[in-house]
Amino acid sequence: VQLQASGGGLVQAGGSLRLSCAASGLTFRDVTMAWFRQAPGKDRDFVAGIRWSGGNRYYGDSVKGRFAISKDTFKNTVYLQMDNLKPEDTAVYYCAAGMRLIASTATSRDRYGYWGQGTLVTVSS
């Protein structure tokens, strides 16, 4: 399994970025793809997730209404559109994949067995 994250960068507060995660080697029918983020000195927190089959979406409270997760089934790629970015969104963003998750488990870091390398998002004030 390979997860290749990209799209991070430096942006001013109020700006937008789109992250991409290209996945391979997965049984996509059973997978939930997600984004987590980790700021310096803090835990790795759930940001957003999407079930590959059915398209159910899940969001962390701090990003609801600002971030949107989507997927391209032809490209086996998941996207995270981040709008109205705030300095507190600054973190390394990780793409992850978990198998056979449900709503109650989709936000739990421990349920994800596959991780990408991370991409840094820096939001300046």
Side-chain angles (χ1 to χ4, degrees), residues 13-27:
S16 298
L17 279 175
R18 189 177 79 157
L19 305 183
S20 300
C21 176
S24 61
L26 290 168
T27 302

Side-chain angles (χ1 to χ4, degrees), residues 56-102:
N56 302 60
R57 290 169 170 82
Y58 316 100
Y59 293 97
D61 289 340
S62 63
V63 306
K64 285 179 181 176
R66 300 189 298 123
F67 291 10
I69 190 168
S70 62
K71 60 182 174 71
D72 185 325
T73 55
F74 294 102
K75 296 182 179 179
N76 291 340
T77 299
V78 172
Y79 303 99
L80 184 67
Q81 178 66 41
M82 305 185 294
D83 297 322
N84 190 22
L85 282 160
K86 303 175 181 180
E88 51 264 43
D89 294 318
T90 295
V92 176
Y93 283 71
Y94 295 91
C95 176
M99 308 305 294
R100 292 178 289 279
L101 304 183
I102 58 177

Side-chain angles (χ1 to χ4, degrees), residues 36-60:
F36 287 76
R37 67 185 182 187
Q38 188 167 20
K42 296 189 176 181
D43 290 336
R44 189 172 297 189
D45 293 330
F46 175 81
V47 176
I50 185 167
R51 288 190 66 182
W52 203 263
S53 177
N56 302 60
R57 290 169 170 82
Y58 316 100
Y59 293 97

